[in-house]
Structure formats: C-alpha cells, structure tokens
Amino acid sequence: MGHYISRRSLLEQDTLPQGRISFNEEAPPHYSSWRVDRGAAADVQANGTIGEVRVGMEVKAGAQETECQGSRQEGRRPSIYSSVDAVPHLEFYSNATATGRVRRNRPSLETLRKAFEDGDLSSNKGDSGTGHLPHVLDQGEEQDSAVEKTRQPVRFGWVTGVMIRCMLNIWGVILFLRLSWITSQAGVILTWVIILMSVLVTSVTSLSVSAISTNGRVSSGGAYFMISRTLGPEMGGPIGVVFSFANALGCALNTVGFAETVRDLLIEYNAVMVDDINDVRIIGTITVTLLLLISLAGMEWESKAQIIFFLVLMVTFTNYFVGTVIPATPEKQAMGFFNYRAEIFVENLFPDWRGSQGDFFQMFAIFFPSAIGILAGANISGDLKDPETAIPKGTLFAIFWTTLSYILISVTVGACVVRDASGNLNDSLPFNFSEPCDGLGCKLGWNFTKCKQSQSCSFGLANSVQVLSLVSGFGLLITAGVFAASLSSALAFLVSAPKVFQCLCRDNIYPYIDFFAKGYGKNNEPLRAYILTYFIALAFILIAQLNVIAPLISNFFLCSYALINFSCFHASITNSPGWRPSFKYYSRWTALFGAVISVVLMFLLTWWAALITFGIIFFLLGYVTYRKPKVNWGSSVQAGTYNMALSYSVSLSSVEDHVKNFRPQCLVLTGPPNLRPALVDFVGSFTKNISLMICGDILMGDSQSVMSNDKLVKWLNIRKVRSFYTPFKADSLQEGARHLMQASGLGKLKPNTLVLGFKSNWKECSPYGLEDYVNTIYDAFDSNYGVCILRMMDGLDITEELQCEANPAFEADEAIESDHSQNSGRESDNENTTNIKNDEIRTVFQNKQGKKTIDVYWISDDGGLTLLVPYLLTRRKRWRKSKVRVFVIGEQQTMENERKEMVALLQRFRLDVHDVIVMTDTERPPFSKNLKGFEESVASFRLTKGQHRGEGSTEEQRTECPWKVSDKQMDAFRLKSEKKVRLNEIIRRNSKHAALVL
C-alpha cells in the first residue's frame, strides 16, 4: 500500500508531534483523536497531520504544545484542498468586537480563485507555502501575544471566582441578625418553607443562568449581558439599570447590617456616639468608604479580602455548632438558651406572629435578600478563566451549601432557644416554688411569665437579634462572622454594580452615561462607576433601617430573576439553531415557572414597590424601543419574530382571497431607491403598515448598484419607508420585471400591482428602450397585475442633481452663513445614522398637502384600484385634510341622475368623497393646436412615405422597426387618440391646482 505526503508535510516534518506509527494493511485507516472537556472544546489542538493523507497507518500523537502554539499552528496549517486555504479554527468565528482584537479571517473565495488561476497554490511564499495573507495574520497574532504577556489580567477559577464569591454574597447580615427572629415569628416549619421558596426561585434562576452562560462566550456584565444578548437591548437596557441599582442597594443593606452590629457593641460598652440612628449612619459611611478603597485597589486585592472573609465565616460556623452542644451556663439559660431540648423544638415548630410585621410574606420579604447573591459570580464573568464552566458549577454548589447552612441553623436555634427570656438570674425557680408560672420556661426551671406578660423581655428568639452569639461557644467569633458576612456581601455588591453598569454604558443604549464606561488598569476597572455606586449606596445607608431597605432590594432582584428566567424560556421556545447551551439540566417550563413565580412574589411582598419597579422598567423599555439602538446581538426576539413571520406566512397561504382583504401589494421599479425618492415616498404613503412594498432594482448589463444593499435598506429605514429592496440582474427592463413579477414575494405576500415611473425621455431615448418599457406594461397585464404609473412635472430621477457638486470656493462662506443663521434655541438633528447621501432630500409627498384636492377621473371601470389609492392616502396625516373629487363621463340630459347613481355607488363602497362631477363635454373634438401638438410628438414614430416606397416590404420594415406606426394604424386609432387629447385638456382645466390626479 502506498501513501501520499504533501509538499507542506515535507517542509514541516521537524515540527510534527512525535508519536507511534503502526502499519496495518488489512484494517481501515485510523486517525488520531483524544477526548476533551466540554468547557474546553474551543481549545482543541489538531495533531499536525492535516496536511498529509496516509493509508494503512495509525498515528498517536501527544498534545504537548501549549495553547498559544497550537493556535498558531492552526492558522498556518492549510486544508487538504489548497495550501492557501486554512482548516477550521475558533478565531475565524469569534466576535472581534467583544475582545477588542482584530478578527482573523479565512482566505476569501476571490483569494482562493486567484491563487488557483495563477497556478501558485504551493509556492513558497512567506511561511512554508501558506501564502502572504496567513503570514501577515501570524505576525499580528505574535504581536497580540506579546502585548498579552506584558499585560495579563487577573482571572479566577470556579471556586474562588464563583462559588466562594456567591456563598459570601448569600451569607449576609440576614443570616446572623434576622434568621433567628424569623424562626421565632414563623416557626421552624414555615421558616423552612420560606427558605425553600427562596431557594426554589434562586435554583431555577441559576439553571437558567447556567443555560444562558453556556450558550456562547459570556463577557463582563453579568445578568445584564445575558439578558440583553438573549432578549435584545429593549429588555436588556432596563434590567441593566435596575440590576445595577439593586446591587448598589445590596451594598447599602449589608453595610447597615454591619453598622447595626457595631452600634450594639457600642451600646453594650456604653460608648454611644450620638444616638441609635445616627450612630448607624456614621459607622455605615465610614465602612462603605473603606470598602470603596479596597475596590479601587483592584480585583486581586478584593479577591484576597474575600478569601479572608470566607475563612472567618468557616471558623464562625464551627464555633456556633460547637456552642450548641456545650452545656449552657445559668447566665445563658437566663437569656433563653438551654441546649437541645425536644420541648423547645416542638414549641418553636409553629408560628407566633407578633407586631406589625407578623406576616408570612413580610418574613419572606425580609429573608429573601439573604438568597439573592447567586449572580455574584456571573457579574464578574469578564474576570473568570472559563465562565461557561465556572458559572454553572460554582453557582449551584454555592446554593447547595448555603441552603444547607440556613436549614441547619434554623433547626438548631429553634431546638435550643426559647422565644422569650428576661436575662435575669433571679427568675430561676427553686425546687419548691409556689408563685404562678406560665409557659415553656417553667418546665426548664425558669419563670419568664412576668416579662412575657408585660412584653418587656429583652432576650429570646423573638426579642434579641444576637441569639447566635448567645448560642456559640465564643460570642466574639459570631460578631466576627457578622462582620465578615456583611462586609463580604457589601464588597461583592460594591464590585458587581459598577461592572454591570460599565457594560451597559459601553453599549451606549442610554444617553449621557458613556462617561462611566471608561476602564482603568489591566483589569479595565470601572473607577468612575465605583464612585457612582458609592454615592447611591451612601444615600440609602443614611436611611439606617434594615427592614426598610430589604423589601426594596427583594423587588429589584425578583424582577431581574423574572427576566433571566423569561430569557431562557424565550430562547428555548424559538427553536433557534443558535440556541445550543452545553448545560443540559434545564427546562423551558421550569424557566417559565421561575419567571411567573418571581412576578407573583413581587406583588405578594410589597405591591407598591412592585408597581414602582415595573413602572421604571416600562419607562426605560419605551425609551429604548423609541430610540432603536443600532446593535445586533442575535437575540431570541429576532428568532421569535422570524418564527412568527414564517408561521403566519405559511398559515396565510391556505386562506382563500377575498375582496374585503384586498390590499395593493406593490412591486415598485425604483432602480436604486435613493435615486427616485418621490416614487418611493408616494407608494410608501399608501402601503405603510397596510400592505407589501418591494423596491425592485433591475441591474442591466454590467451595471452595478450605486450603493450596497444594506445601505439602501438603511436609507429606506431612515425615510421611514417600510419596504423590501430586491436587486436583480437582467439584460433588459422587460426581462427583469418579468422575473421579479414571477419570483417576488412569499405565498400570499406577493405583489399584485406594478408601480413604475413615467418615461419622461420617451422622445429622446432609444426606440428599443421605449419598446422595452411598453412591453413591461403589457407583461404586467398578462401576469394579472394592476399597473400604476407615476408622472411628475420635474421627473423622478434625481441622479443629475446628486452628481452636481458644490463649488468648493463657496463652502466656507456658506458654512459661516449657516452658523449665523442658526438660532440658539434650535435643537440639532445631526445624527450618526443620517450620513447616507441624499437622505435629507424631501419630496412633495413628505409635506402636508393641506386642503388641496385629489382628483380621480374614473372614466372606465378598473375594478376600484383608482378609488382605493386616494382613500388609503387620506388616512395618512399629511393627506387627511385633502378632499377627493371624482370625475365621471355622462350626458347633459341625464347628468343629475348619473351623479346620484355614482354617489350611491360610492356610498356603498363606504368611500368618503367630497364631490362627484359629471363631465358632459368629453365628446367634443380637441382644439386643433393640441391635436397638432400630439401629431408632432408622434411624428418621429411614423412610417414616412419614403419608407413606404422603400426597398423592403412593409412587413420587413415592421419587423426591423416594430415601434413605427403606419398611416393605416394612425387612421384606425385616430378617434381614440383625439379622445385622449380631449381628456388631457379637461384634466388641465379642472385639476390645475390639484395635489394628485388619478
């Protein structure tokens, strides 16, 4: 058996990986392969044998090259077809704008054809026969790699970057300062329900986050990035603002919790500065300022601080659980702690609502912020080594461990501590007591009845927020845990909010916020956004009420979770081929459930906050929808729109046509639409939001379109004309129009009316061109098309106007004049989107027509299209005040009866016509001057006497010049011609001041 080795293989034998080669002539050829992790599928390296084909061999090569070297080899190694072509590689498909690097491109088809025609496919150009283009790309890559070596940003794995960060963000002040109080109010059972409800929402949301984050590369921006790239900027923009604000509130919440703990310590040691509220404000302001300084130091320092906080929390939890089994001292028993007692656990199983906040949903609203930290890892997705793997794994593990800790703490504290205790050692009961005693404390040797009845108990689950310090083996470690939990959560929120807001500012969806998009340092830190977040958090820290801030945060985060789940659901149901998440453990229906339950909980918690949240969302949504930012992220909304359009188009195909649903669906022969704006504006006036409009551009011969298709579509959009643009190459106008009439449209969305401009140069143009124009009209009738020809006094084509350039000598003076003529109060309309040539040219159809008339000469029954067009025009704002006059042919004797008949007919058509005029003078002969003018205009198209007596026969002359008219034909059509001339006279007389004549 022989084998073939390419020239490139010989040149690169030294660079091939070493491996074992075994010959097996009977077995089929084997190719080397190896397994890769799903998350690292984009970094697969080939074994360097693509450039050769071997038969009867087995190659087992080791992948010992680094990732950078493998990437460079992929760019240099050609495919089997051509040494200029390249094998598939990730960088050919990556989004260049997301990374800021120049995108590497595969050789174009033109490059490959040129190389093939030159016969130089394997010449030694540049680098080992890869040609000049790959060599240039390799240089650029080496330069990029050199820059990357000098500036390597900090990247985190799934443990430190996601799991620990999420756990620290979930473990907040609610755990240490409110969980025991919630347990006393709701009981152990309902506390579990509250915990599991919160975890259900966050778990379903984390599954949706995992699916979205594994469907392509996740850049910085967290929840905003995922929602905006899935649902588009309309939904992503509002949620980016709300989510950034919610993270700033989260920072304020945890800072206030920290300040409350410090204040309680100051009260305990009689070191109060001002009073309870102002002390919280002072401590909170100092704390958030210190956290800001840590954040400004960079992500590396922030990550180290988070690890220290995590270690402190681990020690704190160990200290707490050990304390539950240490025998309680009399001092602790006086405060309500009795170690594990079955009677205490049974007593605390059921709720005991107290105070104005004694309600299940109020407890849920206060607890839910302790479960909202699941997006802490996703918010810094731009700083992760492998976001697609780290976010799902780290988030789910964080939810599991934090849920377990919440359940264990609620159970242990409910089994060890009574609800009410006085803290007075004198309340202990002697063996032989005779005083009245009521409650669980009596069975435990303590009489807390007096303080319970007077509601003066200072200790116990229902009265003290420092229960975990009481239960623990060493109380100061719980205080340290409170500090670590609150500060770590506050720090995580303080970092998350600027990262999300920076991504939003970079997308330039809202005005005046691009100032905060600037980043500094190797990690592109949003220092300006840090300062903004600091002041927002500071404003809410001054409220100094933990229970007031918590419900606001709950609504903002629930709104974010609802949109994240809806994003996953919407992306799933659109069946877009681009929706291919590598995380498979999700369901579209669980995502929908998560979205619905999040919205329901928003209104059940605090309905007024929910209304405010949705009001903000809808306001921001309306602004983005109105502004229409020019971004294209391949959102699921686009996929859903395609699905709906396809489904409706297919279902419409089975519906039979009915006269009530007739719409003039127009194929407009505009050529390049920007060269005939009046024709485009006229048809757009009566088809916009009503029917189909297609601008057909027939490119004859070797002519090319003046502008690219995208620019012409953009031109149409700027003029607010809802139309498709279809270029078509053909040898003649007739051929192109015939093919467009046959092939344009889809199903029932197919043109039924051909609109073209009047050929104003019919006297000077080539006879063949005129025949081509007339035959196009005949073909339209043969295809059952209606025909509409627009004629304007100045013509339709503005090509010559566009080619007339201004004299440069006058440009400076004109600019000065325009500057002086501008009023200071006028707003500038100069937008980046209006840079297309001649988009500012206005036509008569863009102006308000006032009370001018639309004259309709209904001289022959055409099926009603002549009446339908003016009706559709008068529905537009510019034509609303115009009056429609209908002219019909009649006799002098029966003029009034014919007028009444026409009025009755128009009323049955439900057409609002201002006046019906009967023309009784149509049978009069035209004026001789006008008739003579007509004969002179057609003189060049008649067969002269010399041609009649020429060498060839009449048939031969008609074959050579089919547009020529003989005297016999002229006599046959003389009466009809005279009537047309007479009609022209009537129109000129009656419709001199009309806005439009049909």
Side-chain angles (χ1 to χ4, degrees):
M1 299 291 290
H3 62 271
Y4 169 76
I5 302 178
S6 68
R7 180 185 302 182
R8 178 174 176 80
S9 303
L10 295 173
L11 291 173
E12 295 186 355
Q13 284 181 350
D14 295 337
T15 63
L16 289 177
Q18 300 299 320
R20 292 183 292 112
I21 302 178
S22 62
F23 293 86
N24 185 356
E25 298 185 358
E26 297 179 358
H30 298 280
Y31 300 95
S32 62
S33 63
W34 56 89
R35 296 182 61 182
V36 293
D37 182 69
R38 180 185 296 272
D43 300 326
V44 175
Q45 301 179 12
N47 59 7
T49 59
I50 297 293
E52 60 182 350
V53 180
R54 299 177 183 268
V55 181
M57 291 188 178
E58 179 180 356
V59 179
K60 298 181 180 179
Q64 300 176 354
E65 299 170 353
T66 64
E67 181 179 352
C68 181
Q69 290 172 341
S71 175
R72 196 168 295 131
Q73 286 292 336
E74 288 286 357
R76 292 178 179 176
R77 190 167 55 252
S79 71
I80 193 173
Y81 301 107
S82 167
S83 62
V84 178
D85 205 351
V87 296
H89 193 267
L90 173 65
E91 293 191 15
F92 296 149
Y93 299 90
S94 61
N95 185 3
T97 58
T99 59
R101 295 176 59 184
V102 178
R103 177 177 175 178
R104 292 178 56 191
N105 295 319
R106 64 183 67 83
S108 65
L109 187 60
E110 182 180 359
T111 302
L112 299 178
R113 284 175 172 172
K114 187 175 185 302
F116 181 78
E117 291 172 358
D118 294 344
D120 198 17
L121 291 179
S122 57
S123 62
N124 189 12
K125 290 182 181 179
D127 184 17
S128 302
T130 57
H132 182 65
L133 178 62
H135 182 68
V136 172
L137 292 177
D138 287 345
Q139 288 178 345
E141 185 175 333
E142 289 171 3
Q143 292 174 358
D144 289 340
S145 62
V147 173
E148 290 176 1
K149 288 180 181 178
T150 58
R151 296 181 59 190
Q152 281 293 336
V154 179
R155 293 289 183 259
F156 305 108
W158 73 272
V159 176
T160 57
V162 181
M163 189 185 76
I164 292 179
R165 187 176 296 274
C166 287
M167 292 174 70
L168 289 173
N169 213 7
I170 294 172
W171 285 329
V173 293
I174 304 296
L175 170 64
F176 292 98
L177 301 183
R178 292 296 183 270
L179 183 58
S180 59
W181 176 70
I182 292 173
T183 304
S184 72
Q185 291 270 358
V188 174
I189 295 177
L190 288 184
T191 301
W192 278 21
V193 173
I194 291 173
I195 294 172
L196 294 178
M197 282 179 60
S198 303
V199 171
L200 177 64
V201 175
T202 56
S203 298
V204 171
T205 305
S206 66
L207 294 178
S208 300
V209 169
S210 301
I212 296 173
S213 63
T214 57
N215 188 56
R217 179 172 176 79
V218 178
S219 182
S220 61
Y224 161 72
F225 183 88
M226 290 183 283
I227 294 174
S228 61
R229 269 53 176 180
T230 305
L231 289 181
E234 291 80 8
M235 294 304 298
I239 206 59
V241 175
V242 171
F243 191 67
S244 302
F245 189 71
N247 277 276
L249 289 187
C251 176
L253 173 78
N254 286 278
T255 305
V256 169
F258 170 79
E260 283 188 1
T261 306
V262 177
R263 178 204 60 189
D264 293 341
L265 288 175
L266 293 177
I267 293 174
E268 184 178 346
Y269 291 100
N270 296 321
V272 177
M273 290 180 286
V274 182
D275 54 41
D276 290 353
I277 298 297
N278 286 313
D279 282 2
V280 171
R281 292 169 178 166
I282 294 171
I283 298 168
T285 301
I286 297 173
T287 304
V288 76
T289 303
L290 294 175
L291 292 177
L292 175 66
L293 295 178
I294 296 175
S295 301
L296 294 178
M299 287 296 297
E300 190 171 0
W301 286 96
E302 187 267 348
S303 178
K304 292 177 180 178
Q306 295 284 29
I307 293 176
I308 295 174
F309 290 146
F310 182 76
L311 295 177
V312 172
L313 281 173
M314 291 298 101
V315 175
T316 301
F317 287 135
T318 304
N319 172 57
Y320 167 77
F321 287 112
V322 170
T324 59
V325 296
I326 297 177
T329 62
E331 290 79 6
K332 288 189 174 183
Q333 289 183 355
M335 295 179 186
F337 173 56
F338 296 92
N339 296 110
Y340 292 105
R341 297 293 182 92
E343 54 267 35
I344 297 178
F345 181 70
V346 173
E347 178 74 16
N348 290 332
L349 276 177
F350 304 101
D352 182 17
W353 307 114
R354 300 182 185 183
S356 59
Q357 293 181 327
D359 178 72
F360 176 82
F361 288 107
Q362 285 293 324
M363 293 299 107
F364 182 87
I366 294 173
F367 174 80
F368 187 75
S370 65
I372 59 178
I374 61 170
L375 296 177
N379 288 339
I380 63 162
S381 52
D383 298 309
L384 299 176
K385 292 179 182 177
D386 185 11
E388 291 81 1
T389 304
I391 292 175
K393 189 186 297 185
T395 305
L396 293 175
F397 269 105
I399 292 176
F400 173 77
W401 291 117
T402 53
T403 304
L404 185 62
S405 66
Y406 282 141
I407 290 176
L408 290 178
I409 290 176
S410 63
V411 169
T412 53
V413 79
C416 297
V417 185
V418 296
R419 282 192 170 100
D420 297 289
S422 63
N424 190 353
L425 292 173
N426 295 327
D427 287 339
S428 63
L429 293 175
F431 290 104
N432 298 318
F433 67 94
S434 58
E435 58 188 60
C437 184
D438 184 23
L440 181 61
C442 303
K443 300 178 182 180
L444 302 174
W446 293 82
N447 187 2
F448 302 132
T449 306
K450 186 177 180 180
C451 78
K452 186 175 181 181
Q453 291 177 348
S454 62
Q455 296 183 354
S456 60
C457 295
S458 302
F459 298 93
L461 291 177
N463 306 293
S464 175
V465 295
Q466 302 292 340
V467 172
L468 269 65
S469 298
L470 172 67
V471 175
S472 64
F474 186 60
L476 290 180
L477 281 179
I478 294 295
T479 303
V482 175
F483 290 174
S486 57
L487 292 178
S488 63
S489 297
L491 186 59
F493 282 123
L494 187 60
V495 170
S496 298
K499 295 280 186 181
V500 175
F501 193 65
Q502 182 189 35
C503 185
L504 173 66
C505 295
R506 282 178 174 173
D507 290 336
N508 198 25
I509 294 178
Y510 295 105
Y512 312 120
I513 63 173
D514 55 337
F515 173 79
F516 300 99
K518 184 175 177 57
Y520 298 87
K522 62 183 180 181
N523 270 53
N524 202 24
E525 296 292 342
L527 301 186
R528 297 175 179 177
Y530 276 126
I531 303 299
L532 177 64
T533 305
Y534 166 77
F535 283 107
I536 294 175
L538 187 62
F540 282 87
I541 287 172
L542 296 179
I543 297 176
Q545 292 290 333
L546 195 66
N547 292 353
V548 174
I549 302 175
L552 296 175
I553 298 177
S554 298
N555 267 277
F556 284 136
F557 275 96
L558 279 171
C559 184
S560 303
Y561 295 164
L563 283 175
I564 289 174
N565 285 302
F566 182 75
S567 300
C568 181
F569 168 75
H570 194 270
S572 301
I573 63 171
T574 55
N575 296 322
S576 173
W579 176 251
R580 303 185 302 272
S582 56
F583 183 82
K584 303 298 182 183
Y585 304 102
Y586 77 97
S587 170
R588 64 182 66 177
W589 305 117
T590 57
L592 179 61
F593 170 77
V596 172
I597 198 65
S598 297
V599 174
V600 171
L601 288 175
M602 286 179 66
F603 285 94
L604 290 178
L605 298 183
T606 45
W607 61 269
W608 57 269
L611 290 178
I612 293 175
T613 303
F614 277 107
I616 295 172
I617 291 290
F618 286 128
F619 172 77
L620 296 173
L621 172 64
Y623 176 81
V624 179
T625 305
Y626 171 77
R627 190 168 180 261
K628 292 183 176 62
K630 297 191 177 302
V631 294
N632 184 12
W633 294 326
S635 65
S636 62
V637 174
Q638 296 172 347
T641 303
Y642 175 84
N643 281 354
M644 292 175 60
L646 181 62
S647 176
Y648 289 153
S649 298
V650 173
S651 61
L652 193 63
S653 300
S654 59
V655 178
E656 294 184 3
D657 293 331
H658 194 279
V659 66
K660 290 183 179 179
N661 294 324
F662 175 83
R663 300 164 186 259
Q665 303 188 119
C666 300
L667 171 61
V668 192
L669 300 185
T670 59
N674 62 322
L675 298 184
R676 292 176 178 82
L679 183 58
V680 173
D681 292 338
F682 168 67
V683 180
S685 299
F686 64 85
T687 60
K688 185 177 181 180
N689 298 326
I690 294 176
S691 59
L692 176 69
M693 175 180 174
I694 300 176
C695 292
D697 183 5
I698 300 174
L699 306 174
M700 290 178 281
D702 297 330
S703 61
Q704 298 292 332
S705 180
V706 179
M707 302 167 63
S708 65
N709 293 0
D710 293 338
K711 289 185 177 181
L712 289 172
V713 172
K714 186 177 180 181
W715 183 89
L716 291 169
N717 292 334
I718 291 174
R719 294 185 78 90
K720 299 180 180 180
V721 176
R722 300 174 66 90
S723 173
F724 298 98
Y725 170 70
T726 304
F728 189 86
K729 279 200 171 187
D731 294 333
S732 64
L733 176 68
Q734 180 184 6
E735 179 187 352
R738 185 190 304 125
H739 289 306
L740 281 175
M741 286 187 288
Q742 292 177 3
S744 296
L746 183 68
K748 295 293 183 181
L749 298 176
K750 186 176 179 64
N752 54 26
T753 304
L754 179 68
V755 183
L756 64 165
F758 179 77
K759 196 171 182 62
S760 56
N761 64 338
W762 62 277
K763 295 181 181 179
E764 297 83 12
C765 72
S766 166
Y768 296 99
L770 183 59
E771 182 188 21
D772 195 26
Y773 179 83
V774 174
N775 287 339
T776 300
I777 299 175
Y778 287 152
D779 288 345
F781 287 131
D782 294 340
S783 301
N784 291 325
Y785 270 62
V787 176
C788 177
I789 301 175
L790 177 65
R791 182 179 184 181
M792 298 186 67
M793 300 305 295
D794 298 329
L796 296 171
D797 197 337
I798 62 170
T799 305
E800 294 183 359
E801 298 179 23
L802 295 180
Q803 290 175 348
C804 295
E805 298 180 354
N807 191 333
F810 297 100
E811 288 183 358
D813 294 336
E814 290 176 0
I816 295 173
E817 281 184 11
S818 63
D819 288 340
H820 286 296
S821 64
Q822 285 180 348
N823 295 327
S824 58
R826 291 187 67 179
E827 296 182 356
S828 176
D829 291 332
N830 295 331
E831 297 179 358
N832 294 332
T833 58
T834 59
N835 291 330
I836 298 179
K837 195 175 182 181
N838 82 304
D839 61 347
E840 71 280 357
I841 292 180
R842 296 187 62 85
T843 63
V844 66
F845 300 106
Q846 290 181 313
N847 302 326
K848 289 187 177 181
Q849 302 301 319
K851 296 183 178 181
K852 295 180 181 180
T853 62
I854 301 176
D855 292 349
V856 181
Y857 289 84
W858 205 17
I859 56 179
S860 61
D861 196 344
D862 62 341
L865 182 61
T866 309
L867 288 172
L868 182 61
V869 170
Y871 165 73
L872 296 176
L873 283 174
T874 53
R875 293 173 61 180
R876 298 297 177 191
K877 187 177 181 180
R878 296 188 181 98
W879 296 82
R880 192 163 294 165
K881 295 182 180 181
S882 300
K883 298 177 181 180
V884 179
R885 299 189 301 177
V886 177
F887 292 83
V888 295
I889 298 175
E891 300 291 339
Q892 183 70 34
Q893 298 80 4
T894 60
M895 180 177 64
E896 191 60 31
N897 291 334
E898 291 177 351
R899 183 180 181 279
K900 291 181 179 179
E901 289 179 4
M902 181 55 61
V903 170
L905 178 62
L906 294 175
Q907 288 178 348
R908 294 199 63 178
F909 289 161
R910 303 175 303 283
L911 295 175
D912 186 15
V913 176
H914 176 70
D915 194 10
V916 175
I917 301 173
V918 179
M919 299 181 296
T920 60
D921 55 351
T922 56
E923 298 299 327
R924 293 181 183 176
F927 293 105
S928 58
K929 179 181 68 173
N930 296 328
L931 186 60
K932 184 179 179 181
F934 167 74
E935 292 177 349
E936 290 176 354
S937 64
V938 299
S940 59
F941 295 92
R942 299 185 62 178
L943 288 171
T944 62
K945 295 181 179 179
Q947 288 175 318
H948 280 296
R949 293 191 296 266
E951 299 176 358
S953 64
T954 304
E955 292 298 328
E956 292 178 355
Q957 294 178 18
R958 290 298 306 275
T959 303
E960 295 175 359
C961 306
W963 55 85
K964 293 292 186 179
V965 182
S966 63
D967 293 340
K968 184 178 179 181
Q969 290 174 320
M970 195 67 184
D971 293 337
F973 290 99
R974 181 171 298 278
L975 182 60
K976 185 175 182 180
S977 300
E978 291 178 355
K979 287 186 176 181
K980 295 296 183 183
V981 174
R982 177 58 185 164
L983 178 61
N984 179 264
E985 294 174 351
I986 295 174
I987 293 175
R988 286 176 177 271
R989 183 187 65 203
N990 296 331
S991 304
K992 184 183 300 183
H993 302 291
L996 184 68
V997 179
L998 294 98

